[in-house]
Amino acid sequence: MREWKGRITQALASAGHAVDDDVVEELSQHATAAYASARAEGIEEDAAIARVERLIATWVAEGGRLKRVRRSAPAIQPPAERTSNLAGLLHDLRYAWRICWRRPGPAIVAALTMALGIGATTTLFSVTWSVLLKPLPFSDPETLIRIQESREGATRSYPWIMTNGTYLAWAEAPNTIEALGAYSAATATLTGHGEAQRVRIVSATASLFSVLRAVPLRGALFTSSDEIADNVAVISHGFWQRAFGGRDDAVGATIVLDGKSRTIAGVLPPDFTFPEREVVAWVPYHIQPSRTADGGSRIQMLGGIARLRPGATPAQAADEATARARSGPDPGLAVVAVFGSKGPAIVSAERLIDAATGDVRSALWVLMAAVGLLLITATANIASVQLARAASRRRELAIRISLGARGGRLARQLILESLVVGLLGGAAGIALAFALNGALPSLLPPDFPRAAEIALDIRVLVFAVLVTLVAGVLCGTLPAIQAARLSPRTGMIEDAAATGVAFNRSATARLRAVIMVGQVAVACLLLAGAALAGRTFLAMLDVDRGYEPSNVLTATIASPSGLFTDQRRTAMLDRVLERLRARPDVVEAGATTVLPLLRGDAMMALQLPPLDGGSEPRMVQTGFRVVSPGYFEALGMRTLDGRTFTSRDTTTSMPALVVNRAFMDRYLPGTRTGRTLPLTFFEGMPEWELIGVVDNVRMRASVVEEPGPEIFVSYLQAPGGVRSNPTVVVRTRTEPGSLVTPLRQLLSAEEPSAALESVMTMEERVTGSLARPRMYAAVLGGFALFALAIASVGLFGVLSYAVAQRSKEFGVRAALGARRSQLVAMVIRQGLVITVVGIVIGLAAAAFAARALSAYLFGVEPVDALSFAVVALGLLVVSLIACTVPALRAAHVDPLSAIRQE
């Protein structure tokens, strides 16, 4: 193969043209291709050489034009060559890389923009895939359903529970399900394996393992006969490794839970984590009938899970369960304590994956839509830059076409240039996704479903690669289309107007303006969404909860039920509270059986006297709290009427009762303290004096739910005293965290076998309960700021490029008498037109989206005028800043230099 570099260099030098190594390299490849083409056509060597010589003569004659091309582009692309497709593709890839290397600035900015877009998209997709789309780690998970029971006219609902009556009625020969299992999660004290520790356990029916088709890794699972004996346990794989080192002799060994010794029957495999990953042991659960032998009622609240028969649907299973529940024994008044109604049972069923992720499903899809818009914005920004670069290379591309390059080859080259940038950004984005994935456990709320399963597996990586390739190709599509349609004649004509941004200029300018409008609209939409989410979070944070959380320390005193009697637990609490109140840094100390924002609840049914004019007693539902004197003051609750408990309210005095405002409004309207109520919830205590009314307290994390009726009884008067693990509430004069160590030491001195758990300040509990809305607001805010940055940089780039290309026009205007202020106003006006149009479109889209998502807002209207106005004003300010520098540059164009410009 002949070498043409020397000949071309000599010809250019002889004609007096400057010799550029890149140009010579480029032309020598054209010459080599022309020579090979001639020889392939059967032309003799001398004739082929003559053909190339004539081509070189043409290039020499165009020497001045070659210099101009060199100034506008880093390299000249090869024409269509009669070589293999693979060789041509590799050649184009090398040139694409050379262009990025020659001008690294734009390539780095584009790659970083793509990296942030790909990184955010990949990370959020990994969460969505792992939480919503990834199959559950059970056999045939699509046939698993969860059960929820309620009553007609119910005033209270519970997520995914069923009663023992419904369970027993349905478990016997069901038609729509293969098996029905029940369970109840709790916390227990584990002893005998190092220090005593609090662990999560599950009481489960033997049928639960049949429903989940669990197979033990070691040993066996317990059976229905074990439910009555209740002396065995099945342990998790993690606990087996930690406590027994993975030894086979763990089966048959014993563990002690809440003071009760249990024999280990088996070990479950690593992927069995139902219903929580933290569970270390499953123990038998005996479901008792809803009616006792003496005719009384008994109610158990269970988690229910079933497996559908082939062909059955959740709706059919729910209908059967409802019919069975209504045909079962009358549960008596106990059901009123739970649901607030004795109406007929209503049972619903939902697939397990939907039930487990229902709280976050809609929010994750909203965030996926937001990150999709963000990626589109990033891609559009890069496409706009590529479009501008292609417009500046029109003359270069036209020369290449005149030298024999086909439009398709040029289009491919431009797409490959964008693809190289996209691949670099995609690689960096995937690396960023790995880093974010490692930080996710600390960023996600503790109760986020399936959080431990989130990982960048092969499916997520394939998704990231596909998104990268598609985004990279899309970035170069518009310039490629223009290159494919370019003709040598039109490309040789200087088209300064083609690079303007006003709507009345060329198609290229209008297209870039439309892209910029879209970027501003997306930024506006995301900013409006983030503003609404942020205001929702602030409203939830500032809502009146009925207590003052500042300077309050809370901790639950865990005492193993197998070791502690009610009397011992009560005496221990007396001593702890007495010593706490004696400390100078403590304002007040109290205790309760149910603390706001903690797991668990206690409900009861009461029979109240008839209202004025009525004749029948009323059966009502209310929350039930056993508290200590000082509890209301320690938590900072407001007393609306009467007084709260004191140390004088004991078993020797009149039984005293405190209720909340909701109880008074619903059940005793117009009544004041001091009256006596005939209540029989404690045997031998038929009359209770209503001594005080306190304000409502929001017990749950959901601030949208209004507080329900509650009654409070002093543990000094409650028969048996404290019957469950109490939570201590301490209001301090100093920082609450400083009391943690003294409290542990005090408890250790009073009762070494008891332990503190869930030690937190009340402010930490409040902020922790809002972890999800805070996360949603933060993620949307991050997306919005990134979109704003892309839009502002894009607007700056578009105007800067337009000013550079129109410098001659600005020079002429200045020469004709245009003032600098007029030139500045002209550039700023063009930028603000784009911004205003984008804001209008973005706010319209935000209003539509906000109305669709109004159920997720709190304390703010879907179309909030203040939020939308702040977003619009902020975008205008950022746009004005982005327009200022290009506008000043236009105002300082030298008329003489601009007019003399070639």
Side-chain angles (χ1 to χ4, degrees):
M1 185 66 68
R2 296 179 63 88
E3 175 59 51
W4 299 97
K5 288 185 181 179
R7 176 71 186 94
I8 294 172
T9 301
Q10 180 184 2
L12 290 174
S14 299
H17 299 309
V19 178
D20 189 297
D21 292 340
D22 286 339
V23 173
V24 171
E25 172 70 25
E26 194 79 29
L27 296 180
S28 69
Q29 294 186 27
H30 302 333
T32 300
Y35 176 81
S37 176
R39 295 292 288 162
E41 295 173 5
I43 298 176
E44 295 293 333
E45 182 176 0
D46 291 344
I49 294 174
R51 174 184 289 188
V52 175
E53 288 291 346
R54 289 194 297 273
L55 187 59
I56 292 174
T58 302
W59 294 338
V60 170
E62 297 287 341
R65 185 172 297 159
L66 288 173
K67 287 188 289 185
R68 190 178 303 174
V69 171
R70 177 62 193 142
R71 284 196 301 269
S72 64
I76 301 178
Q77 303 295 343
E81 302 172 8
R82 298 190 179 181
T83 57
S84 67
N85 290 333
L86 179 59
L89 182 63
L90 293 176
H91 182 269
D92 289 347
L93 281 173
R94 286 195 299 270
Y95 267 89
W97 174 253
R98 283 181 61 191
I99 288 176
C100 293
W101 184 258
R102 289 278 184 174
R103 289 187 176 177
I108 290 175
V109 172
L112 288 177
T113 302
M114 185 67 75
L116 291 173
I118 295 294
T121 304
T122 302
T123 301
L124 196 52
F125 178 77
S126 71
V127 175
T128 304
W129 162 258
S130 301
V131 175
L132 302 183
L133 305 177
K134 185 178 179 181
L136 294 170
F138 304 112
S139 175
D140 297 330
E142 67 280 356
T143 63
L144 292 173
I145 58 173
R146 290 189 74 172
I147 313 302
Q148 179 162 328
E149 180 180 348
S150 185
R151 288 290 189 278
E152 287 187 6
T155 59
R156 191 74 177 272
S157 63
Y158 302 86
W160 310 115
I161 62 95
M162 66 188 307
T163 61
N164 50 331
T166 299
Y167 174 86
L168 293 173
W170 193 25
E172 186 176 353
N175 298 318
T176 58
I177 59 174
E178 294 180 355
L180 176 65
Y183 63 93
S184 178
T187 303
T189 300
L190 172 70
T191 55
H193 292 276
E195 247 181 66
Q197 54 183 307
R198 297 290 286 176
V199 296
R200 293 292 287 174
I201 67 169
V202 170
S203 298
T205 59
S207 58
L208 177 71
F209 299 115
S210 300
V211 172
L212 298 175
R213 296 177 182 172
V215 178
L217 185 68
R218 296 285 191 277
L221 305 173
F222 51 76
T223 63
S224 56
S225 61
D226 294 317
E227 293 175 3
I228 298 177
D230 193 21
N231 57 5
V232 298
V234 175
I235 63 174
S236 69
H237 182 273
F239 179 66
W240 177 51
Q241 293 292 329
R242 293 191 304 272
F244 297 95
R247 301 189 309 271
D248 290 340
D249 61 2
V251 176
T254 61
I255 58 174
V256 180
L257 294 171
D258 275 347
K260 184 171 184 175
S261 181
R262 296 179 179 274
T263 302
I264 297 176
V267 179
L268 287 165
D271 59 349
F272 189 91
T273 57
F274 186 85
E276 306 167 6
R277 183 170 292 272
E278 296 77 17
V279 174
V280 303
W282 289 259
V283 300
Y285 193 7
H286 178 52
I287 309 300
Q288 298 178 336
S290 58
R291 303 298 293 183
T292 62
D294 58 2
S297 60
R298 177 195 299 117
I299 192 164
Q300 291 173 284
M301 307 297 290
L302 322 166
I305 182 171
R307 184 177 290 275
L308 294 171
R309 292 187 186 276
T313 65
Q316 292 171 339
D319 290 341
E320 182 185 22
T322 299
R324 293 289 186 90
R326 293 182 177 184
S327 64
D330 183 2
L333 295 179
V335 74
V336 179
V338 176
F339 299 106
S341 170
K342 202 182 174 184
I346 302 174
V347 180
S348 60
E350 191 171 357
R351 297 194 186 276
L352 182 59
I353 181 63
D354 296 332
T357 61
D359 292 343
V360 300
R361 179 174 295 273
S362 298
L364 280 181
W365 286 124
V366 169
L367 293 181
M368 276 300 297
V371 80
L373 290 174
L374 183 64
L375 182 60
I376 291 173
T377 302
T379 303
N381 186 67
I382 299 173
S384 179
V385 173
Q386 296 294 89
L387 197 63
R389 292 182 63 191
S392 68
R393 295 164 62 184
R394 288 167 60 88
R395 186 180 296 275
E396 168 202 341
L397 298 176
I399 292 175
R400 292 177 185 173
I401 293 174
S402 67
L403 294 176
R406 290 174 298 185
R409 177 67 179 275
L410 295 178
R412 185 178 75 180
Q413 178 62 45
L414 292 174
I415 289 178
L416 287 176
E417 290 178 16
S418 298
L419 189 58
V420 167
V421 173
L423 290 174
L424 292 174
I430 292 174
L432 175 62
F434 271 103
L436 291 175
N437 188 262
L440 276 179
S442 60
L443 298 177
L444 293 176
D447 61 344
F448 202 83
R450 308 185 74 183
E453 300 178 39
I454 298 174
L456 294 179
D457 59 17
I458 186 63
R459 295 178 181 83
V460 177
L461 293 178
V462 168
F463 169 83
V465 171
L466 289 177
V467 169
T468 298
L469 292 175
V470 170
V473 171
L474 288 178
C475 288
T477 298
L478 292 178
I481 292 174
Q482 289 194 341
R485 296 176 178 176
L486 187 66
S487 67
R489 181 176 180 276
T490 57
M492 294 294 181
I493 301 174
E494 287 287 353
D495 186 15
T499 57
V501 296
F503 294 108
N504 60 347
R505 297 185 182 272
S506 69
T508 301
R510 289 195 296 271
L511 181 58
R512 295 192 67 208
V514 168
I515 291 175
M516 271 309 310
V517 167
Q519 291 179 354
V520 173
V522 170
C524 182
L525 171 61
L526 293 179
L527 282 170
L532 293 176
R535 292 197 64 187
T536 293
F537 170 70
L538 292 177
M540 289 181 171
L541 191 63
D542 294 338
V543 70
D544 182 12
R545 286 177 166 76
Y547 55 88
E548 177 51 57
S550 61
N551 280 33
V552 175
L553 179 69
T554 65
T556 299
I557 301 179
S559 50
S561 57
L563 300 177
F564 276 68
T565 62
D566 294 343
Q567 291 75 16
R568 181 179 176 183
R569 189 179 291 111
T570 303
M572 171 192 66
L573 183 60
D574 281 338
R575 297 193 302 271
V576 169
L577 291 179
E578 183 180 355
R579 292 188 60 180
L580 283 172
R581 292 176 183 132
R583 292 181 60 89
D585 54 351
V586 171
V587 177
E588 185 57 273
T592 180
T593 52
V594 182
L595 183 73
L597 305 178
L598 267 181
R599 288 183 179 181
D601 203 351
M603 305 297 295
M604 72 182 315
L606 290 178
Q607 184 171 291
L608 293 178
L611 290 174
D612 294 341
S615 59
E616 294 294 328
R618 295 169 292 152
M619 186 60 63
V620 301
Q621 177 203 43
T622 181
F624 179 68
R625 320 283 181 240
V626 177
V627 302
S628 74
Y631 165 73
F632 302 103
E633 293 76 14
L635 190 58
M637 295 174 61
R638 296 183 290 270
T639 302
L640 304 180
D641 190 18
R643 65 177 179 87
T644 59
F645 301 121
T646 68
S647 59
R648 295 188 298 273
D649 296 310
T650 65
T651 54
T652 60
S653 61
M654 178 71 176
L657 195 69
V658 174
V659 302
N660 70 344
R661 176 162 51 88
F663 188 97
M664 296 293 290
D665 293 342
R666 184 178 300 182
Y667 301 139
L668 300 173
T671 302
R672 295 188 61 83
T673 57
R675 67 169 293 179
T676 301
L677 297 175
L679 304 177
T680 58
F681 48 83
F682 286 140
E683 187 176 351
M685 304 175 72
E687 298 288 333
W688 291 74
E689 180 185 1
L690 179 61
I691 66 169
V693 179
V694 294
D695 207 353
N696 296 336
V697 166
R698 297 181 186 269
M699 298 295 293
R700 291 179 173 78
S702 174
V703 296
V704 179
E705 182 179 349
E706 289 298 324
E710 293 179 349
I711 63 172
F712 301 87
V713 173
S714 172
Y715 81 98
L716 297 178
Q717 290 185 324
V722 182
R723 297 185 176 184
S724 61
N725 291 333
T727 298
V728 176
V729 181
V730 187
R731 180 166 294 279
T732 65
R733 291 186 172 87
T734 58
E735 202 280 319
S738 63
L739 195 63
V740 174
T741 299
L743 180 57
R744 291 189 186 277
Q745 294 172 345
L746 186 156
L747 181 63
S748 178
E750 292 293 339
E751 191 59 75
S753 57
L756 286 182
E757 67 177 19
S758 190
V759 182
M760 298 175 66
T761 67
M762 205 62 207
E763 287 182 319
E764 289 172 338
R765 294 191 187 279
V766 170
T767 56
S769 70
L770 300 176
R772 286 188 191 178
R774 181 177 63 244
M775 181 194 72
Y776 298 149
V779 172
L780 273 178
F783 290 169
L785 291 177
F786 183 30
L788 178 61
I790 291 176
S792 58
V793 170
L795 187 61
F796 172 82
V798 166
L799 294 177
S800 296
Y801 184 78
V803 168
Q805 295 298 315
R806 299 170 62 192
S807 58
K808 182 179 294 187
E809 172 192 342
F810 289 126
V812 170
R813 288 178 180 271
L816 293 177
R819 296 188 301 273
R820 288 185 174 181
S821 60
Q822 292 176 316
L823 298 179
V824 169
M826 181 169 56
V827 176
I828 290 179
R829 183 169 59 251
Q830 291 175 350
L832 291 182
V833 166
I834 291 175
T835 303
V836 170
V837 174
I839 288 174
V840 171
I841 296 174
L843 289 181
F848 176 80
R851 291 188 185 279
L853 299 174
S854 58
Y856 297 93
L857 302 178
F858 176 79
V860 61
E861 293 296 324
V863 183
D864 181 60
L866 178 61
S867 298
F868 283 19
V870 170
V871 167
L873 181 62
L875 275 170
L876 286 173
V877 171
V878 171
S879 172
L880 187 62
I881 294 173
C883 297
T884 300
V885 174
L888 293 176
R889 191 178 299 161
H892 288 82
V893 171
D894 180 49
L896 291 179
S897 299
I899 294 173
R900 290 172 180 172
Q901 195 176 38
E902 293 185 9

Short mmCIF file of all heavy atoms in Angstrom, two decimals, residues 282-302:
data_model
loop_
_atom_site.label_atom_id
_atom_site.label_comp_id
_atom_site.label_asym_id
_atom_site.label_seq_id
_atom_site.Cartn_x
_atom_site.Cartn_y
_atom_site.Cartn_z
N TRP A 282 -38.35 -18.42 65.90
CA TRP A 282 -39.79 -18.61 65.73
C TRP A 282 -40.23 -19.65 66.75
O TRP A 282 -39.63 -20.74 66.86
CB TRP A 282 -40.11 -19.11 64.32
CG TRP A 282 -39.91 -18.09 63.25
CD1 TRP A 282 -40.86 -17.35 62.64
CD2 TRP A 282 -38.65 -17.69 62.66
NE1 TRP A 282 -40.30 -16.50 61.70
CE2 TRP A 282 -38.94 -16.70 61.69
CE3 TRP A 282 -37.32 -18.07 62.85
CZ2 TRP A 282 -37.95 -16.10 60.93
CZ3 TRP A 282 -36.34 -17.47 62.09
CH2 TRP A 282 -36.65 -16.50 61.14
N VAL A 283 -41.28 -19.33 67.52
CA VAL A 283 -41.78 -20.22 68.56
C VAL A 283 -43.24 -20.54 68.27
O VAL A 283 -43.93 -19.79 67.56
CB VAL A 283 -41.63 -19.58 69.96
CG1 VAL A 283 -40.16 -19.30 70.25
CG2 VAL A 283 -42.45 -18.31 70.06
N PRO A 284 -43.76 -21.66 68.79
CA PRO A 284 -45.15 -22.06 68.48
C PRO A 284 -46.18 -21.07 69.02
O PRO A 284 -45.98 -20.45 70.07
CB PRO A 284 -45.28 -23.43 69.16
CG PRO A 284 -43.87 -23.91 69.33
CD PRO A 284 -43.05 -22.69 69.57
N TYR A 285 -47.28 -20.96 68.31
CA TYR A 285 -48.36 -20.05 68.67
C TYR A 285 -49.66 -20.85 68.68
O TYR A 285 -50.08 -21.39 67.65
CB TYR A 285 -48.44 -18.92 67.65
CG TYR A 285 -49.29 -17.74 68.04
CD1 TYR A 285 -49.85 -17.62 69.30
CD2 TYR A 285 -49.53 -16.72 67.13
CE1 TYR A 285 -50.60 -16.53 69.66
CE2 TYR A 285 -50.29 -15.61 67.46
CZ TYR A 285 -50.83 -15.52 68.74
OH TYR A 285 -51.59 -14.42 69.09
N HIS A 286 -50.29 -20.88 69.82
CA HIS A 286 -51.55 -21.61 69.95
C HIS A 286 -52.71 -20.64 69.78
O HIS A 286 -52.86 -19.68 70.55
CB HIS A 286 -51.64 -22.30 71.32
CG HIS A 286 -52.93 -23.03 71.55
ND1 HIS A 286 -53.42 -23.95 70.66
CD2 HIS A 286 -53.83 -22.95 72.57
CE1 HIS A 286 -54.57 -24.43 71.11
NE2 HIS A 286 -54.84 -23.83 72.27
N ILE A 287 -53.54 -20.87 68.77
CA ILE A 287 -54.70 -20.01 68.52
C ILE A 287 -55.87 -20.56 69.31
O ILE A 287 -56.29 -21.71 69.12
CB ILE A 287 -55.04 -19.97 67.02
CG1 ILE A 287 -53.79 -19.64 66.20
CG2 ILE A 287 -56.15 -18.96 66.76
CD1 ILE A 287 -53.17 -18.32 66.52
N GLN A 288 -56.43 -19.73 70.18
CA GLN A 288 -57.51 -20.16 71.05
C GLN A 288 -58.87 -19.73 70.49
O GLN A 288 -58.96 -18.74 69.77
CB GLN A 288 -57.31 -19.59 72.46
CG GLN A 288 -56.03 -20.05 73.12
CD GLN A 288 -55.83 -19.44 74.49
OE1 GLN A 288 -56.36 -18.38 74.79
NE2 GLN A 288 -55.09 -20.12 75.35
N PRO A 289 -59.92 -20.45 70.83
CA PRO A 289 -61.27 -20.08 70.36
C PRO A 289 -61.67 -18.70 70.86
O PRO A 289 -61.19 -18.23 71.89
CB PRO A 289 -62.17 -21.18 70.95
CG PRO A 289 -61.25 -22.32 71.25
CD PRO A 289 -59.93 -21.70 71.63
N SER A 290 -62.57 -18.06 70.11
CA SER A 290 -63.00 -16.72 70.48
C SER A 290 -63.97 -16.73 71.65
O SER A 290 -64.22 -15.68 72.25
CB SER A 290 -63.66 -16.03 69.28
OG SER A 290 -64.76 -16.79 68.82
N ARG A 291 -64.54 -17.87 71.97
CA ARG A 291 -65.43 -17.98 73.13
C ARG A 291 -64.79 -18.88 74.17
O ARG A 291 -64.27 -19.95 73.86
CB ARG A 291 -66.78 -18.56 72.72
CG ARG A 291 -67.51 -17.79 71.63
CD ARG A 291 -67.86 -16.38 72.04
NE ARG A 291 -68.86 -16.34 73.11
CZ ARG A 291 -69.37 -15.22 73.60
NH1 ARG A 291 -68.97 -14.04 73.14
NH2 ARG A 291 -70.28 -15.27 74.56
N THR A 292 -64.78 -18.44 75.41
CA THR A 292 -64.21 -19.23 76.49
C THR A 292 -65.22 -20.27 76.99
O THR A 292 -66.41 -20.23 76.64
CB THR A 292 -63.79 -18.31 77.65
OG1 THR A 292 -64.97 -17.65 78.16
CG2 THR A 292 -62.77 -17.28 77.17
N ALA A 293 -64.74 -21.19 77.83
CA ALA A 293 -65.61 -22.25 78.34
C ALA A 293 -66.75 -21.71 79.18
O ALA A 293 -67.84 -22.29 79.22
CB ALA A 293 -64.77 -23.25 79.14
N ASP A 294 -66.51 -20.57 79.84
CA ASP A 294 -67.56 -20.02 80.70
C ASP A 294 -68.48 -19.06 79.96
O ASP A 294 -69.25 -18.32 80.57
CB ASP A 294 -66.95 -19.34 81.91
CG ASP A 294 -66.00 -18.22 81.52
OD1 ASP A 294 -65.85 -17.95 80.30
OD2 ASP A 294 -65.39 -17.60 82.42
N GLY A 295 -68.36 -19.03 78.61
CA GLY A 295 -69.24 -18.17 77.82
C GLY A 295 -68.71 -16.79 77.56
O GLY A 295 -69.37 -15.98 76.90
N GLY A 296 -67.53 -16.47 78.07
CA GLY A 296 -66.94 -15.17 77.82
C GLY A 296 -66.31 -15.08 76.43
O GLY A 296 -66.32 -16.04 75.66
N SER A 297 -65.77 -13.93 76.11
CA SER A 297 -65.15 -13.72 74.80
C SER A 297 -63.65 -13.54 74.95
O SER A 297 -63.17 -13.02 75.96
CB SER A 297 -65.77 -12.51 74.10
OG SER A 297 -65.58 -11.34 74.87
N ARG A 298 -62.92 -13.99 73.96
CA ARG A 298 -61.47 -13.88 73.95
C ARG A 298 -61.06 -13.49 72.53
O ARG A 298 -61.51 -14.09 71.56
CB ARG A 298 -60.83 -15.21 74.33
CG ARG A 298 -59.32 -15.21 74.27
CD ARG A 298 -58.75 -16.62 74.29
NE ARG A 298 -59.09 -17.36 75.50
CZ ARG A 298 -59.83 -18.46 75.52
NH1 ARG A 298 -60.33 -18.95 74.38
NH2 ARG A 298 -60.09 -19.09 76.64
N ILE A 299 -60.20 -12.50 72.41
CA ILE A 299 -59.79 -12.06 71.09
C ILE A 299 -58.27 -12.02 71.00
O ILE A 299 -57.60 -11.56 71.93
CB ILE A 299 -60.41 -10.68 70.74
CG1 ILE A 299 -60.22 -10.38 69.25
CG2 ILE A 299 -59.81 -9.57 71.60
CD1 ILE A 299 -61.11 -9.25 68.76
N GLN A 300 -57.74 -12.57 69.94
CA GLN A 300 -56.31 -12.52 69.64
C GLN A 300 -56.13 -11.81 68.31
O GLN A 300 -56.87 -12.07 67.35
CB GLN A 300 -55.72 -13.93 69.56
CG GLN A 300 -55.65 -14.67 70.88
CD GLN A 300 -55.22 -16.11 70.69
OE1 GLN A 300 -55.99 -16.95 70.25
NE2 GLN A 300 -53.97 -16.39 71.04
N MET A 301 -55.15 -10.92 68.26
CA MET A 301 -54.86 -10.19 67.03
C MET A 301 -53.67 -10.87 66.35
O MET A 301 -52.57 -10.94 66.92
CB MET A 301 -54.54 -8.74 67.34
CG MET A 301 -55.63 -8.05 68.18
SD MET A 301 -57.20 -7.97 67.31
CE MET A 301 -56.79 -6.77 66.06
N LEU A 302 -53.86 -11.35 65.14
CA LEU A 302 -52.86 -12.15 64.45
C LEU A 302 -52.49 -11.54 63.11
O LEU A 302 -53.32 -10.88 62.48
CB LEU A 302 -53.39 -13.58 64.20
CG LEU A 302 -54.24 -14.23 65.28
CD1 LEU A 302 -54.93 -15.45 64.72
CD2 LEU A 302 -53.35 -14.60 66.46
#
